[in-house]
Amino acid sequence: MLEARDTLRESSLAPEAPVFDAAMMADAELAYSYLEQAEMNATGLALTVRKQINGKSFNNSEITMWDVGSLILGLLAAVELELAPADRIYRRIRKIMASLPVIQDGDAAYPPTLINVRDASIERRGFDACDFARLTSAVTRAAQHTALADACSQLIGKWQIAGLMQGGVLNNILKTRIQSSYQSHCAHYQTRVLPALGQSETRSPYREAFVGETVADRTVSLLYAVDKIGILPTEPLLLEYVELGPSAECAVLTDVFLGAMKYHFDQTGQLLAPSETPIDTSPWFVYQGFDLGHETRWNVSYRKGREVVFEPVASSPYGIFSTKAAYLWYAVRPCRHTRKMLDMAQEHARIDGFGMSSGLFLDGYTQMKNHADLNTNGIVLQALAHLKRRTR
């Protein structure tokens, strides 16, 4: 990745003073309108994907704990951005927390993999360690607000995850087996979040690889670890900046990622903003990002039946410019190149009266029309609140 390192020296990647202007405030208002329109009165939760075709609505009413975390964090950002009365938002967050079910499994107690937003009934049993980390990040951040402290304490008090830890790693509970979450890009994020629940002895593949006498040695070792895990997306890499502040490992990977995106732009003219994204056509959900394990550095991965397909982002019909990724990159690393990313999203991803589109198809940067999702709009709000905070 010498190309990425050298590219970082270009003037277009030189840090610039962050800007938060009226257009960004309008984006925040639009993103918040998604959270309001998608709200379920009984639970405070929100529809995770909304699409309109010929005046008819098609909505996804199943929600993961990752999306619950994004909803809570988006609502907290809305308080910071003064998009609605704080008391009203706090009431909704308390309702969300009170509605979340807990599975009792021997000595362990944990939120399920998937629930219904309308009544919080369990749609899929099991436990997802990465999604739980996202929810934990949201709840512990919410606990810093006096009006939410009791609700957060009550929810955390229901969880008992010590029995799910093995050798410093939080296990996933799947239908038929237990699976370690260590070999994932979320494991490092977990090590930043779980100490808030008393789990301080946690393991991270990033941290354990980031060793050596020089920065170059540490970086190469870290990149080998990333290669072993697989495609590196924008999330949760940049979410660590917004929610927790960057670790040394996160900062190095962000440098390489940004340099590699700019190198791809220089070579192809294609502006990337990769992350995990729901899309408005089969296969409905794609993973994309920085892929050290394949000859092509930028790939999209998706399921086709039982097969997992990898395709170059540049030529795949499912290559997506992720709206949330564009806002995160500018919020975390403002420079001329990330401003181009933000400008692309602002120009093409707005759906008036509906929310921010999940993304743009890289072939022509055409919008996923009338297709928006909770995670995108929650993270856009997070990014904009972070950006506004940096300009103060």
Side-chain angles (χ1 to χ4, degrees):
M1 280 285 92
L2 293 176
E3 303 97 335
R5 187 192 63 187
D6 292 340
T7 303
L8 277 171
R9 300 191 182 112
E10 292 189 7
S11 59
S12 63
L13 296 182
E16 295 185 346
V19 173
F20 184 89
D21 56 22
M24 294 175 191
M25 190 64 195
D27 295 341
E29 291 169 353
L30 185 58
Y32 182 64
S33 73
Y34 179 99
L35 304 192
E36 282 196 311
Q37 293 171 36
E39 181 180 0
M40 299 290 104
N41 288 332
T43 63
L45 295 166
L47 297 165
T48 50
V49 178
R50 298 169 66 223
K51 183 171 178 63
Q52 291 183 346
I53 303 175
N54 298 326
K56 295 183 178 180
S57 296
F58 300 85
N59 303 318
N60 185 1
S61 59
E62 296 179 331
I63 191 168
T64 65
M65 294 306 110
W66 177 283
D67 282 336
V68 175
S70 289
L71 174 58
I72 292 171
L73 288 162
L75 290 170
L76 292 174
V79 172
E80 192 170 348
L81 292 163
E82 299 179 332
L83 294 171
D87 287 348
R88 189 169 85 201
I89 295 177
Y90 290 149
R91 281 196 299 273
R92 181 177 178 184
I93 293 175
R94 288 194 292 267
K95 185 188 293 185
I96 291 168
M97 292 183 181
S99 72
L100 294 180
V102 173
I103 294 175
Q104 296 288 336
D105 185 6
D107 293 335
Y110 48 84
T113 301
L114 201 65
I115 64 175
N116 190 289
V117 300
R118 302 181 190 281
D119 59 8
S121 59
I122 297 175
E123 296 278 353
R124 187 190 307 159
R125 297 180 71 85
F127 176 76
D128 189 294
C130 184
D131 291 3
F132 178 72
R134 178 83 170 136
L135 177 60
T136 299
S137 180
V139 173
T140 53
R141 194 173 182 88
Q144 299 171 21
H145 297 247
T146 302
L148 298 173
D150 286 346
C152 295
S153 178
Q154 290 175 26
L155 180 58
I156 291 172
K158 297 177 183 178
W159 298 335
Q160 299 294 330
I161 63 164
L164 303 180
M165 299 291 297
Q166 186 173 12
V169 180
L170 193 56
N171 284 326
N172 297 308
I173 301 177
L174 308 179
K175 283 185 178 180
T176 59
R177 60 194 172 95
I178 304 296
Q179 179 192 62
S180 171
S181 65
Y182 180 74
Q183 282 298 329
S184 73
H185 290 302
C186 207
H188 184 72
Y189 178 71
Q190 291 175 41
T191 65
R192 300 293 311 281
V193 171
L194 292 180
L197 300 183
Q199 300 296 328
S200 56
E201 299 298 322
T202 53
R203 294 181 58 203
S204 157
Y206 292 179
R207 186 180 296 159
E208 292 174 12
F210 197 58
V211 293
E213 293 185 2
T214 67
V215 172
D217 290 339
R218 294 191 290 274
T219 299
V220 169
S221 179
L222 179 58
L223 292 177
Y224 272 115
V226 167
D227 178 16
K228 188 175 181 180
I229 294 170
I231 291 178
L232 176 66
T234 295
E235 306 162 72
L237 181 66
L238 297 195
L239 295 177
E240 188 177 323
Y241 276 83
V242 174
E243 296 163 23
L244 306 160
S247 62
E249 298 88 348
C250 176
V252 167
L253 289 178
T254 301
D255 279 346
V256 175
F257 199 122
L258 179 56
M261 283 197 298
K262 180 58 168 60
Y263 182 78
H264 178 85
F265 177 77
D266 291 341
Q267 298 299 306
T268 67
Q270 189 177 56
L271 187 64
L272 299 175
S275 201
E276 302 171 2
T277 316
I279 61 175
D280 63 355
T281 185
S282 179
W284 310 114
F285 198 89
V286 296
Y287 297 84
Q288 53 191 1
F290 188 36
D291 194 349
L292 287 159
H294 290 76
E295 183 178 352
T296 306
R297 295 301 189 201
W298 300 99
N299 286 308
V300 56
S301 171
Y302 58 90
R303 287 194 173 274
K304 190 175 182 180
R306 294 186 176 183
E307 180 187 8
V308 178
V309 178
F310 288 85
E311 294 175 345
V313 166
S315 58
S316 172
Y318 308 120
I320 303 296
F321 180 98
S322 167
T323 301
K324 61 191 172 185
Y327 281 84
L328 276 173
W329 276 103
Y330 181 72
V332 167
R333 289 293 177 89
C335 64
R336 276 192 290 161
H337 185 74
T338 57
R339 182 67 208 214
K340 282 183 185 177
M341 296 165 67
L342 179 68
D343 289 345
M344 180 68 76
Q346 288 189 302
E347 183 176 355
H348 296 291
R350 294 176 55 88
I351 310 174
D352 290 340
F354 195 71
M356 302 297 294
S357 172
S358 301
L360 317 171
F361 288 98
L362 282 172
D363 184 10
Y365 296 95
T366 55
Q367 183 191 105
M368 280 189 256
K369 295 187 181 299
N370 298 326
H371 183 279
D373 69 277
L374 169 59
N375 193 44
T376 291
N377 284 277
I379 288 177
V380 166
L381 284 167
Q382 272 191 276
L384 289 170
H386 180 76
L387 187 61
K388 185 176 181 181
R389 201 179 309 130
R390 294 187 65 186
T391 63
R392 290 173 184 159

